Amino acid sequence: MAAAVEEVGKQLGRVYPPVIAGKPAATAGTIDSVNPSHRRQVVGKCGRATPEQAREATAAAVAAFPAWRDVEPARRAQYLFDAARVMRRRRYELAAWQVHECGKPWREADADVAESIDYCEFYGREMLRLAAPRRRDAPGEENAYFYEPRGVAVVIAPWNFPLAILCGMTAAALVTGNTVVMKPAEQSAVIGAKLMEVFQEIGLPPGVVNYLPGVGEEVGPVLVDHLDVALIAFTGSRAVGLSINRQAAETRPGQDHVKRVIAEMGGKNAVIVDDDADLDEAVHGVAWSSFGYAGQKCSACSRAIVHEALYDAFLARLVEATRSLKVAPAEDPGCSVGPVIDEEAPRPHPPHHRAEPGPGPPRLCRRPRGAGRRGLLRRAARLSPTWRPMTPSRQEEIFGPVLAVLKARDLGHALEIANGTRYALTGGLYSRSPEHIARVKREFRVGNLYINRKITGALVDRQPFGGFKMSGIGSKAGGPDYLLQFVLPRTITENTLRRGFAPRPRRVKQELNHRDTETQRKTALVRLLCASVVHCY
């Protein structure tokens, strides 16, 4: 990994144009992707796609769709298995790009690549399962139930899991027979280009996947509104997800289908610490759930709801545990908390975040080691682990290392606080009471609930990931229902008790032309009729 980080560091600053219909497309402008740990270091210059190029990419996907739709599911699955093989070979390199472009610590970056491999393997096998023949025949009647792709899919991905989420949504669309316009986040467009390299290496036909880096506000609405787009798969903020859902719901003149939207939109995740919790486990789990990758995970813990009997002891230990986390540039192998992604990341207490009346719990805010003249992690210094009784911190998603620690009278009160948001993504409980664990399983309404462990780090197939309420639209990524969102079910029924015989003229002519006598020609015609009767019955 150290060698990969060093080698990738020698490749910074290259240009990555859009790839449309298998060919690079020139752009008038570029977007500089910078290293969050070193704000003056340009990781790469990605072509700034225009609205017209967004339409060209969609047209390329439309043109490629009929042939790709008819590729056998087993062959499409093999493409994913091939992509997984390539990513295994390039595992450390791909992880190193994330260290440089997204400020991911080593372990987080490697896990992101591993998850991408898992998505390809899992969705490939799921497609083989869905493609298995499903028949309900009756005497004289054949009935076939099968799936076909929707059409052109637009994939709009975030920067916090720059390879895994982009790869997962794209792989699901591809293996089900859809063609894709792949729009990575501006902050992680170089990693998107590396994924496009993987797809080109495995030999996907031109136009099946189109790589479209650009500014979301410029190309996003064009893609969502396009008449030929059948599906939008999005992961990102609630505001953007709801906007996409609203835009896609409007049927344009000439549109012959209803667009499908799959959206994962974040959370306001809570961990409940019961009065009999193991404090060693709870402190460690909350610290890593809150501050791993600087809290920039949609699954991260942003509220710890602690029973009043343990509140003071828990908070004191959590503060000290957090002091031990090493805040450093992401390339440092000992980094626990790296930088936030960019200057647009939220601050822990801007003017609209007012403290509630009364004395608040302790607040920890410190400059990271290594900050200063080199300009490292200055934003992370202002967003380091913080505890304040701020009302917005209980309700609004803050995408950074910010944690509100709240006091609960009892388990019922804790559940009331935990469920009191518009989100329902992840949650957790630390308790040694079987009765309380059973109650929380029933009453804590989130998509992914974790008992006595951290609430981040879901694994494909083992813990399919996704929520409801304002946390998402659609089924769980990495789960058995996910691919069903990318397909349309069809049924074909055939009555096999046909009356009469309509032989193909060409075959009849060929058979009769090879007969020398009238008797031979009559015999051949009778055989054709008999063969048809046998086939019918």
Side-chain angles (χ1 to χ4, degrees):
M1 183 65 186
V5 171
E6 182 180 357
E7 179 59 31
V8 166
K10 300 174 183 177
Q11 303 175 36
L12 305 184
R14 296 178 179 177
V15 178
Y16 300 91
V19 178
I20 299 173
K23 298 178 181 179
T27 60
T30 59
I31 300 171
D32 287 353
S33 178
V34 300
N35 186 337
S37 298
H38 309 275
R39 298 295 301 167
R40 296 180 180 179
Q41 186 178 72
V42 176
V43 177
K45 294 178 176 292
C46 298
R48 185 168 181 161
T50 63
E52 180 57 34
Q53 287 175 319
R55 286 184 278 269
E56 291 174 6
T58 305
V62 170
F65 175 66
W68 182 247
R69 174 193 58 203
D70 293 338
V71 172
E72 288 297 319
R75 180 68 188 101
R76 297 198 301 261
Q78 187 58 51
Y79 277 112
L80 263 58
F81 301 148
D82 292 343
R85 173 180 48 78
V86 172
M87 285 189 284
R88 282 192 189 93
R89 191 186 75 237
R90 298 179 61 177
R91 177 175 176 173
Y92 294 109
E93 177 215 342
L94 293 171
W97 280 108
Q98 297 190 41
V99 171
H100 285 284
E101 187 173 34
C102 297
K104 278 210 167 194
W106 286 20
R107 176 179 293 234
E108 298 280 353
D110 179 66
D112 191 276
V113 180
E115 186 175 17
S116 307
I117 295 168
D118 287 348
Y119 275 132
C120 289
E121 293 284 358
F122 179 70
Y123 289 150
R125 283 160 176 75
E126 281 294 290
M127 189 65 242
L128 296 178
R129 178 179 65 84
L130 292 178
R134 301 184 184 191
R135 307 189 69 89
R136 294 293 183 269
D137 294 340
E141 181 179 274
E142 293 179 352
N143 295 287
Y145 183 89
F146 60 98
Y147 301 101
E148 73 173 28
R150 290 178 174 271
V152 175
V154 169
V155 171
I156 303 174
W159 50 261
N160 61 333
F161 288 87
L163 187 67
I165 293 180
L166 182 64
C167 178
M169 294 191 296
T170 303
L174 289 176
V175 79
T176 46
N178 303 278
T179 51
V180 178
V181 177
M182 192 170 66
K183 163 65 179 71
E186 295 96 299
Q187 299 92 330
S188 58
V190 172
I191 296 168
K194 296 301 172 181
L195 179 60
M196 189 66 199
E197 290 177 4
V198 172
F199 290 141
Q200 289 178 309
E201 182 174 343
I202 64 174
L204 281 176
V208 170
V209 180
N210 302 275
Y211 165 66
L212 194 77
V215 176
E217 292 82 356
E218 294 175 359
V219 299
V222 176
L223 295 172
V224 173
D225 287 342
H226 201 288
L227 292 179
D228 293 321
V229 169
L231 179 145
I232 302 101
F234 167 80
T235 299
S237 71
R238 176 172 59 91
V240 176
L242 293 179
S243 175
I244 288 174
N245 189 52
R246 184 168 55 252
Q247 282 182 272
E250 295 185 16
T251 305
R252 311 293 179 186
Q255 184 176 321
D256 64 355
H257 58 277
V258 177
K259 297 180 181 181
R260 179 66 185 267
V261 174
I262 306 164
E264 194 273 284
M265 302 184 296
K268 190 64 182 174
N269 312 304
V271 173
I272 296 172
V273 181
D274 203 3
D275 60 353
D276 64 350
D278 183 318
L279 275 184
D280 290 334
E281 288 187 355
V283 167
H284 181 268
V286 169
W288 280 106
S289 297
S290 300
F291 308 128
Y293 190 36
Q296 299 174 119
K297 299 180 182 181
C298 49
S299 58
C301 172
S302 61
R303 297 177 298 153
I305 305 169
V306 187
H307 192 284
E308 61 183 7
L310 292 182
Y311 183 84
D312 292 336
F314 173 85
L315 190 55
R317 292 178 63 171
L318 182 61
V319 168
E320 293 307 315
T322 306
R323 291 185 195 279
S324 69
L325 298 176
K326 184 177 181 180
V327 183
E331 69 269 17
D332 184 335
C335 171
S336 300
V337 180
V340 293
I341 189 71
D342 58 24
E343 292 295 328
E344 294 182 5
R347 302 185 183 188
H349 32 269
H352 66 278
H353 282 195
R354 297 183 179 275
E356 296 173 351
R363 182 168 69 89
L364 171 66
C365 191
R366 59 192 173 86
R367 284 191 69 77
R369 291 186 289 275
R373 274 186 250 171
R374 295 167 65 195
L376 300 180
L377 310 174
R378 285 184 180 139
R379 292 288 292 132
R382 298 198 293 271
L383 262 173
S384 54
T386 305
W387 295 271
R388 293 195 59 158
M390 301 175 293
T391 299
S393 70
R394 300 183 182 187
Q395 295 291 332
E396 299 174 9
E397 184 178 36
I398 303 173
F399 221 57
V402 181
L403 173 68
V405 182
L406 310 171
K407 187 183 294 186
R409 296 184 302 271
D410 52 32
L411 184 60
H413 185 212
L415 283 166
E416 180 183 348
I417 297 172
N419 287 322
T421 75
R422 293 173 291 180
Y423 296 99
L425 188 55
T426 66
L429 168 70
Y430 283 91
S431 176
R432 288 184 282 194
S433 167
E435 181 182 352
H436 286 187
I437 291 173
R439 180 181 178 185
V440 168
K441 287 180 178 179
R442 290 193 307 270
E443 298 181 20
F444 197 171
R445 316 303 299 174
V446 290
N448 285 64
L449 179 63
Y450 301 91
I451 310 296
N452 292 320
R453 56 148 283 176
K454 65 185 180 74
I455 67 171
T456 57
L459 298 178
V460 174
D461 189 31
R462 190 183 301 179
Q463 296 120 11
F465 186 77
F468 46 94
K469 291 170 70 173
M470 286 296 177
S471 287
I473 305 167
S475 189
K476 287 175 171 290
D481 308 317
Y482 191 70
L483 292 190
L484 294 177
Q485 303 170 112
F486 293 80
V487 294
L488 298 166
R490 291 186 60 197
T491 300
I492 293 180
T493 299
E494 180 181 357
N495 175 13
T496 56
L497 297 177
R498 294 195 299 266
R499 271 67 174 178
F501 170 56
R504 290 175 297 197
R506 180 179 297 177
R507 184 181 175 189
V508 173
K509 186 176 181 180
Q510 289 174 343
E511 288 288 338
L512 298 183
N513 285 344
H514 286 84
R515 302 299 182 259
D516 296 328
T517 66
E518 183 67 21
T519 301
Q520 289 175 334
R521 285 193 287 271
K522 289 180 179 179
T523 302
L525 186 57
V526 169
R527 286 175 178 169
L528 283 172
L529 290 170
C530 291
S532 178
V533 171
V534 170
H535 173 74
C536 289
Y537 287 92

